[in-house]
Amino acid sequence: MKWTQVSEQIWRGKGWLIFPFIPVHVWLVRDEAEGGWTLVDAGMKNMAQGVLAHVKQLNKGPIRTIVLTHGHIDHVGVIDAIVEETGAKVFAYAEEIPYMEGERMYPRRKKMEFNVKRGLAQPLPVNEQGELLPVGGLTPYFAPGHSPGHVVFYHEGDEILLAGDLFTSNRSGSKLKRPMPMFTADMDQAMKSARIVEKLKPRQLEVCHGSAVLNPVSQLQAYLNV
Ligand SMILES: [Zn+2]
């Protein structure tokens, strides 16, 4: 795996999916309150050693928390290995959990997916009004469409938005692109969720399958008008 420091508190790790041949990113975010790291998305199974080796090399404590943007198979692969090694807690948006545990079928798919062991992922914490609360140094925002319970994670200090599969981008990162249609449950909803970029105005947007996009709000209108 190749690791790149994205900002003061965030590292991006890169693996590869073979079909289609695309990069698969995960992120390590410093958990300043607890010490150690939060892993955002969990890539492919074969990335486990690469993740653990990098955490060891950084020498700032273990992964304490794993947060998932959603439960597709290329976003959950290293969970078992990390939990076994560190006892990390795993969180996803409540509505996403039945889909990734094989209790409900993802919209537009033909088969149930058993991507995460039942009971392993806990719902992201919410307050009494049902609003998502910060976890592991990041603030989650509900951004459905690519999957029914897709969330994105914002790092306020570093102004980085970890957007999972809410978007993709072109190779140079100069262009914000739609999520892959074949794997997207509801494209119209995903387009509406894109407005989170307007609300947060991140300095940089990171996607699982593509390059980082600087100042994404400058592209939002063009993106929505395509
Ligand atoms: Zn996905």
Side-chain angles (χ1 to χ4, degrees):
M1 273 181 82
K2 187 185 166 202
W3 286 91
T4 307
Q5 188 164 14
V6 171
S7 62
E8 203 182 325
Q9 312 284 2
I10 303 176
W11 287 80
R12 178 203 312 127
K14 185 190 217 170
W16 292 92
L17 188 65
I18 307 301
F19 295 110
F21 190 65
I22 48 171
V24 178
H25 295 137
V26 299
W27 297 271
L28 283 167
V29 179
R30 274 291 279 156
D31 185 337
E32 288 176 279
E34 301 279 323
W37 300 93
T38 300
L39 181 70
V40 181
D41 278 349
M44 309 291 294
K45 263 201 168 59
N46 63 11
M47 292 160 75
Q49 284 319 308
V51 172
L52 288 166
H54 191 67
V55 169
K56 196 168 172 191
Q57 194 188 330
L58 290 167
N59 197 25
K60 297 230 168 94
I63 294 173
R64 296 190 188 279
T65 311
I66 301 172
V67 292
L68 305 175
T69 58
H70 63 300
H72 286 164
I73 192 72
D74 52 331
H75 296 256
V76 301
V78 309
I79 291 177
D80 288 351
I82 305 285
V83 169
E84 194 173 305
E85 176 101 4
T86 68
K89 288 191 182 130
V90 184
F91 293 100
Y93 192 74
E95 196 188 330
E96 184 77 5
I97 293 174
Y99 294 95
M100 62 199 216
E101 289 184 342
E103 228 175 274
R104 297 184 70 178
M105 192 158 67
Y106 276 112
R108 301 186 59 233
R109 307 307 294 167
K110 292 196 179 72
K111 280 190 291 184
M112 290 282 201
E113 295 184 27
F114 299 87
N115 296 345
V116 177
K117 277 185 201 143
R118 199 163 280 197
L120 194 58
Q122 304 301 310
L124 282 162
V126 291
N127 65 15
E128 283 169 11
Q129 287 77 45
E131 295 158 345
L132 290 164
L133 295 171
V135 58
L138 294 158
T139 308
Y141 291 89
F142 186 44
H146 176 68
S147 74
H150 190 288
V151 289
V152 295
F153 295 96
Y154 189 52
H155 191 288
E156 274 167 40
D158 290 5
E159 298 172 79
I160 305 283
L161 183 62
L162 306 177
D165 284 358
L166 177 58
F167 303 98
T168 55
S169 68
N170 66 349
R171 233 196 167 122
S172 67
S174 61
K175 193 155 189 246
L176 207 52
K177 294 175 73 178
R178 293 183 182 206
M180 279 177 284
M182 196 167 104
F183 301 107
T184 296
D186 183 336
M187 189 61 84
D188 288 346
Q189 196 182 36
M191 296 296 279
K192 286 195 186 101
S193 291
R195 292 200 176 274
I196 189 67
V197 163
E198 207 166 48
K199 178 184 161 99
L200 298 172
K201 298 188 175 59
R203 187 166 61 76
Q204 183 168 325
L205 178 136
E206 293 272 320
V207 295
C208 275
H209 313 295
S211 302
V213 176
L214 296 174
N215 191 24
V217 73
S218 68
Q219 293 189 35
L220 189 67
Q221 214 45 54
Y223 174 84
L224 293 174
N225 288 338
V226 169

